[in-house]
Amino acid sequence: MEAKSVIVFSAIIFSLFILGETSTGKWKLLKKSIGISAMHTVLLPNDRVITFDRTDLGQSNISLPQERCRKLADDQIDCSAHSIELNLLNGDVRSLTVLTDTWCSSGALAPDGVLIQSGGFNDGDRVVRYFRLCANCDWMEDQNGLVVPRWYASNQILPDGKIIVVGGRAQFSYEFIPKSSSKSDFKTHELPFLKDTTDDVENNLYPFLHLSTDGNLFIFANNRSILFDYINNRVVRDDYPVMPGEVSRNYPSTGSSVLLPLKLGFINSNIGAPDAEVFICGGSPPNSFTSASNGRFLSATKSCGRLMITAEQPEWKMEEMPIERVMGDMILLPTGDVLIINGAKKGSAGWYLAREPALNPVLYHPDSSKFEVMKPSKIARMYHSTAILITDGSVLVGGSNPNSNYNFTELFPTELSVEVFSPPYATSSSRPQISWAEPEAELSYKQPFSIGFDSTENGELENAYVTMVAPSFNTHSFSMNQRMMVLEINQVYQVSGTSYVIDCFAPATPYIAPPGYYLLFVVHHGIPSSGKWIHIS
């Protein structure tokens, strides 16, 4: 056995031996190959997953539709696809045509469910791409959709349905998409905070964006944060403390971030906005990239921090994961727990710059601040891996390509597979089932609505609640637009036998839930149903 293989095999055996006895959850290989490496991934409201890598990696393992070939800059011809649609209902894979380079780009779902995807590298750095909801749709590309190049930028859907695009390499500014006919749309707005948080190796790319419940934008970069009024181009708050730990949290030191579930109060139409709390985990020392480039792989951090961004005097509450992690993904589960998955224990983001895959996911329970180690995967998910919540409440995991092209012989080879991680609740025989909703699919703000569900768990109706989860655009350890609300409930009652009804209220404002599609879940005794797609506007 080669030395490289021994290292990977030993890491897997170590995880199984040390952590396996107490770990839970279940892994299933969904597809051995989807033809490409899943660098960017998003779930659409028709239960199709769109995923893509970059267009200059060389030939992928799946052909373009109708043999539509691309001419590359060096006059080479590429007839392979670099984007696919995965049908979760039947497992079919359909190749898609993306013409410009999507490497390290960003995206968001528009209120009508259209995937709007922006930026990238080389010929793709100012492109905005659109993917619509239809059976045979393919990418459409606007070559001048952005005012300036955006590479390693982040996106956030806003209360008015527009998308803000923030940052990118050497871009200390933001702009809005899609563009209207107004001249004011075709300009950028300076954001000095991005320049102020840049160090010798950047460490502030893919800034973490979270829409606060007052409509302002929380922006975190490196180890600092602000609350920003993007309408009037002014900083609302700059008094957030520096995150402790002497660790950088953004690319290439690459931690991850979520906005913890928003708990909507009793009769939410009559109270103020709910509190908003950000949770950030992982990352590595500021010099990790430079050190790894010289062959010395520094340990990632175990530290996490919670910050109530709506508090009068916010302070970081620091906690520690059981496993150090860089390039991890953080996924909000339907229960309100956070799954921390993928990544490595040492090194940095970048080609060949990480070691010791973090094979064990970790489940974090926000209400108790407890971490729980899950069953390990057998597949290393390193640089350019992804993870998203899917409709049945499990997590689709794919990607990993820490190489500069498609390479299947490296220590951590290009990974074409996708697998599903099922949290402990997913294997329960007593999962509730949504039987109906009224209204069925379309909600307006503050609207009362009812959900019928079946559950074999009798009694204790106070243990039933409803969550709404926005589908996120995941790449480079950040799930853009990821958002969850725990809805206000009016009453829960038993109809007969195992049949129940929950009367609840839609979120009060688009500041709390921007317009668009969400997955609706009923959670009973800590076990969620499968999700039901709803739309709010």
Side-chain angles (χ1 to χ4, degrees), residues 317-333:
K317 175 187 175 184
M318 300 305 293
E319 300 175 346
E320 192 167 275
M321 299 180 285
I323 301 170
E324 56 267 56
R325 197 177 303 257
V326 63
M327 298 183 295
D329 291 286
M330 296 172 68
I331 307 300
L332 292 170
L333 299 179

Side-chain angles (χ1 to χ4, degrees), residues 396-466:
L396 183 73
V397 180
S400 187
N401 190 20
N403 313 298
S404 57
N405 52 29
Y406 279 84
N407 192 318
F408 303 100
T409 60
E410 289 286 347
L411 173 61
F412 300 111
T414 302
E415 187 57 62
L416 306 182
S417 69
V418 289
E419 54 189 337
V420 171
F421 177 74
S422 298
Y425 58 67
T427 57
S428 172
S429 60
S430 59
R431 292 190 70 176
Q433 294 183 336
I434 295 176
S435 51
W436 55 267
E438 180 60 42
E440 185 174 355
E442 191 71 34
L443 295 175
S444 55
Y445 293 101
K446 302 182 183 180
Q447 181 177 3
F449 68 105
S450 299
I451 306 165
F453 72 99
D454 296 317
S455 175
T456 57
E457 294 283 348
N458 293 323
E460 297 186 29
L461 296 182
E462 66 273 12
N463 289 327
Y465 58 97
V466 178

Side-chain angles (χ1 to χ4, degrees), residues 201-491:
V201 291
E202 296 172 309
N203 278 324
N204 71 341
L205 298 181
Y206 278 124
F208 302 145
L209 308 180
H210 299 293
L211 181 69
S212 183
T213 51
D214 62 0
N216 292 308
L217 189 66
F218 178 82
I219 306 174
F220 183 99
N222 202 329
N223 59 4
R224 294 167 51 193
S225 48
I226 58 171
L227 192 65
F228 189 68
D229 176 355
Y230 50 84
I231 296 175
N232 297 300
N233 191 30
R234 66 184 184 94
V235 175
V236 177
R237 296 191 69 164
D238 60 2
D239 62 344
Y240 293 118
V242 172
M243 188 172 180
E246 298 182 357
V247 172
S248 295
R249 308 286 177 169
N250 294 84
Y251 184 92
S253 287
T254 309
S256 191
S257 176
V258 295
L259 180 68
L260 290 175
L262 302 174
K263 298 181 178 180
L264 309 188
F266 181 71
I267 311 181
N268 63 29
S269 59
N270 294 329
I271 66 170
D275 284 328
E277 186 175 15
V278 166
F279 184 47
I280 296 174
C281 281
S284 56
N287 63 334
S288 186
F289 178 89
T290 304
S291 180
S293 299
N294 293 320
R296 189 166 66 97
F297 303 94
L298 302 180
S299 291
T301 186
K302 291 184 178 180
S303 72
C304 298
R306 294 173 63 157
L307 182 69
M308 189 70 73
I309 66 175
T310 50
E312 288 188 13
Q313 295 181 320
E315 294 183 359
W316 285 101
K317 175 187 175 184
M318 300 305 293
E319 300 175 346
E320 192 167 275
M321 299 180 285
I323 301 170
E324 56 267 56
R325 197 177 303 257
V326 63
M327 298 183 295
D329 291 286
M330 296 172 68
I331 307 300
L332 292 170
L333 299 179
T335 54
D337 295 329
V338 182
L339 184 71
I340 308 169
I341 196 167
N342 295 337
K345 298 179 183 179
K346 289 184 176 181
S348 165
W351 304 132
Y352 316 104
L353 296 184
R355 295 292 186 271
E356 296 187 23
L359 298 170
N360 291 81
V362 169
L363 193 60
Y364 177 74
H365 306 281
D367 290 342
S368 63
S369 293
K370 290 182 178 179
F371 294 91
E372 183 180 359
V373 177
M374 299 281 104
K375 183 178 180 179
S377 172
K378 297 179 181 179
I379 301 174
R381 302 289 182 180
M382 307 289 276
Y383 187 43
H384 291 150
S385 59
T386 52
I388 58 168
L389 180 72
I390 56 178
T391 311
D392 68 358
S394 58
V395 175
L396 183 73
V397 180
S400 187
N401 190 20
N403 313 298
S404 57
N405 52 29
Y406 279 84
N407 192 318
F408 303 100
T409 60
E410 289 286 347
L411 173 61
F412 300 111
T414 302
E415 187 57 62
L416 306 182
S417 69
V418 289
E419 54 189 337
V420 171
F421 177 74
S422 298
Y425 58 67
T427 57
S428 172
S429 60
S430 59
R431 292 190 70 176
Q433 294 183 336
I434 295 176
S435 51
W436 55 267
E438 180 60 42
E440 185 174 355
E442 191 71 34
L443 295 175
S444 55
Y445 293 101
K446 302 182 183 180
Q447 181 177 3
F449 68 105
S450 299
I451 306 165
F453 72 99
D454 296 317
S455 175
T456 57
E457 294 283 348
N458 293 323
E460 297 186 29
L461 296 182
E462 66 273 12
N463 289 327
Y465 58 97
V466 178
T467 57
M468 275 174 55
V469 186
S472 59
F473 180 93
N474 177 265
T475 189
H476 290 77
S477 301
F478 183 46
S479 291
M480 302 175 196
N481 308 292
Q482 184 172 212
R483 197 174 190 86
M484 174 185 287
M485 285 69 61
V486 181
L487 299 188
E488 174 204 341
I489 292 177
N490 185 27
Q491 62 176 335

Side-chain angles (χ1 to χ4, degrees), residues 44-59:
L44 300 185
N46 57 5
D47 288 323
R48 270 53 163 186
V49 171
I50 303 300
T51 188
F52 50 95
D53 53 19
R54 51 184 280 200
T55 61
D56 60 347
L57 276 173
Q59 299 284 329

